[in-house]
């Protein structure tokens, strides 16, 4: 997968072709995994943000789109320590996405704002052949 990092915890990852059905398929895969992990409490926001990022990848990249979930161990320490869900969306386009201010009548341009407003941390990083956009959500009760 493009630009992934090694992270401790439960994980699931997929690669989707850059085709119109990728967004729907990614949503179903993510929701099913979160349900299996007992994380329905963050399901809606996770699926929304994954949909936004996969849509961006589809719009601008032509290669495979990677999605990875990592349920970080609550005993983890350090700056990113504690119970959290790390979500990564990777594609082969090296250019990082840019957050912009959407006008009221714009049909797009709100995805990264949603990611920034809904997650506890987010960012981008370059890989060998593309980039990864990632975000973290706190896990309630862990």
């Amino acid at each position: 997968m493009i630009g992934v990092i090694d992270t401790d915890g439960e994980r699931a990852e997929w690669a989707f072709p850059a085709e119109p059905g990728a967004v729907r398929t990614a949503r179903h895969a993510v929701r099913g995994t979160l349900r299996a992990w007992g994380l329905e409490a963050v399901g809606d926001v996770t699926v929304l943000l994954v949909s936004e990022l996969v849509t961006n990848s589809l719009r601008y990249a032509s290669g495979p789109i990677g999605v990875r979930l990592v349920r970080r161990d609550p005993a983890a320490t350090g700056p990113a320590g504690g119970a959290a869900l790390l979500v990564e969306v990777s594609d082969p386009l090296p250019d990082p996405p840019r957050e912009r201010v959407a006008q009221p009548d714009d049909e797009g341009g709100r995805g990264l704002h949603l990611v920034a407003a809904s997650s506890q941390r987010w960012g981008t990083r370059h890989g060998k052949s593309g980039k990864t956009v990632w975000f973290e959500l706190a896990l309630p009760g862990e």
Side-chain angles (χ1 to χ4, degrees), residues 12-35:
E13 57 187 76
W14 307 268
F16 302 104
E19 298 173 353
V23 177
R24 181 183 60 238
T25 306
R27 279 195 308 258
H28 288 294
V30 167
R31 189 170 301 280
T33 298
L34 294 177
R35 189 176 300 120

Side-chain angles (χ1 to χ4, degrees), residues 33-79:
T33 298
L34 294 177
R35 189 176 300 120
W37 289 351
L39 298 178
E40 291 91 346
V42 295
D44 289 341
V45 70
T46 305
V47 167
L48 171 66
L49 299 181
V50 166
S51 293
E52 291 293 334
L53 295 178
V54 171
T55 297
N56 283 350
S57 291
L58 254 176
R59 184 171 289 144
Y60 301 109
S62 59
I65 301 165
V67 176
R68 184 168 92 138
L69 305 178
V70 178
R71 181 182 188 175
R72 212 174 46 233
D73 183 351
T77 60

Side-chain angles (χ1 to χ4, degrees), residues 2-137:
I2 302 161
V4 299
I5 56 174
D6 190 30
T7 309
D8 290 333
E10 280 184 278
R11 64 184 85 191
E13 57 187 76
W14 307 268
F16 302 104
E19 298 173 353
V23 177
R24 181 183 60 238
T25 306
R27 279 195 308 258
H28 288 294
V30 167
R31 189 170 301 280
T33 298
L34 294 177
R35 189 176 300 120
W37 289 351
L39 298 178
E40 291 91 346
V42 295
D44 289 341
V45 70
T46 305
V47 167
L48 171 66
L49 299 181
V50 166
S51 293
E52 291 293 334
L53 295 178
V54 171
T55 297
N56 283 350
S57 291
L58 254 176
R59 184 171 289 144
Y60 301 109
S62 59
I65 301 165
V67 176
R68 184 168 92 138
L69 305 178
V70 178
R71 181 182 188 175
R72 212 174 46 233
D73 183 351
T77 60
L85 178 67
L86 171 66
V87 180
E88 299 174 322
V89 177
S90 304
D91 64 50
L93 189 68
D95 303 325
R98 290 180 303 215
E99 191 174 357
R100 67 181 182 96
V101 177
Q103 300 303 310
D105 292 337
D106 288 349
E107 291 187 20
R110 293 174 182 82
L112 287 179
H113 178 71
L114 282 170
V115 171
S118 302
S119 62
Q120 64 182 9
R121 296 182 331 137
W122 78 280
T124 63
R125 70 176 174 279
H126 291 282
K128 291 179 185 173
S129 61
K131 65 155 173 330
T132 298
V133 180
W134 59 270
F135 64 89
E136 280 185 351
L137 299 173

